[in-house]
Amino acid sequence: MNHSRLALTILIMGLGLAACTGPVPVTRGQGPDAEDMTLDQLAQTDFNRTVTIAMRDNLDSLSRLLEKLYRRNPREWRKTGAPDLDTAVRQGRQAIESGQTPPGLQGLRDIQILSVALDPQYQGDRVAAFVLGLADMIIQSHGGKTRFYVSDVLDARMVYNAARNVEIAAWLLASRRNEQGQPLLLANEISDDAANLSFEREFGQLVGRLDLVANLLDENIRRVGINYMQGLLFFNFLPVR
């Protein structure tokens, strides 16, 4: 057997072993959920992958919030013209993924959309405005991107501010009332018959992920400097072969 055939045989055996020992797939939402291998991941560091997955999970949380709010506030999804709730949710999720601006609010961005969504005078689809405003605000705090590569530079302060904005939005959602004293949107429910705090859990997860990314950004920059100084201190030469 010549060298090229031997190398090919070893490569095939290695791939086979990797497939056998790879992680067992899990059902979405029932455990850790990694992405399938894609070519663009070659341009991502471990840190880039962490931020990309955190962003994916944040957008998933917003999709769940959209559906929950539509279910609690059916008058809002009916403003979309959709024939049923499922269609309205599907259209809303597509709007989140594509970064669409709510109808009638073109020209507004992130916190501007959130402010309108929580204005008692606003007559449009308040759920879409609220969730799409949150989505745009979170994406803008990450430099307007949802996937991250070695060339991307993120600002920890902007991500930190986004986490605080989510907290403010959650508080306003629970406290804002119309002229009749009714909530602008129904969300968490605590009564003698039911207790539904699922909205609070989604907001908490959003804040937790954003704070983690902000802290990792600061740590990532700090570690670059520390690693450089350690290299000088211990005279660690770089490998050449």
Side-chain angles (χ1 to χ4, degrees), residues 202-227:
E202 293 292 351
F203 283 119
Q205 290 175 1
L206 283 167
V207 171
R209 292 189 205 102
L210 290 168
D211 275 338
L212 176 61
V213 169
N215 289 334
L216 288 175
L217 281 166
D218 270 346
E219 178 66 12
N220 194 46
I221 294 171
R222 191 171 69 89
R223 289 307 306 178
V224 169
I226 290 174
N227 291 341

Side-chain angles (χ1 to χ4, degrees), residues 17-77:
L17 288 173
C20 293
T21 59
V24 177
V26 295
T27 303
R28 183 85 168 176
Q30 296 182 357
D33 186 16
E35 291 185 340
D36 294 334
M37 180 63 72
T38 56
L39 188 61
D40 73 325
Q41 291 179 20
L42 296 175
Q44 294 179 316
T45 63
D46 290 347
F47 179 71
N48 296 147
R49 295 292 307 133
T50 298
V51 181
T52 296
I53 291 173
M55 176 61 77
R56 178 205 65 187
D57 290 348
N58 283 336
L59 296 182
D60 283 348
S61 281
L62 292 174
S63 291
R64 288 191 293 272
L65 274 175
L66 178 87
E67 181 173 2
K68 290 175 183 292
L69 285 170
Y70 271 157
R71 288 186 182 280
R72 290 277 282 143
N73 304 272
R75 69 180 183 276
E76 300 301 325
W77 71 257

Side-chain angles (χ1 to χ4, degrees), residues 118-121 126 171-188:
L118 296 168
D119 183 343
Q121 303 304 315
R126 199 179 296 278
W171 182 80
L172 290 174
L173 178 67
S175 60
R176 280 286 172 89
R177 299 288 191 272
N178 60 20
E179 294 178 352
Q180 290 73 42
Q182 300 168 328
L184 294 180
L185 288 173
L186 296 175
N188 289 323

Side-chain angles (χ1 to χ4, degrees), residues 45 84 148 190 197-198:
T45 63
D84 51 50
F148 306 94
I190 301 178
L197 299 177
S198 59

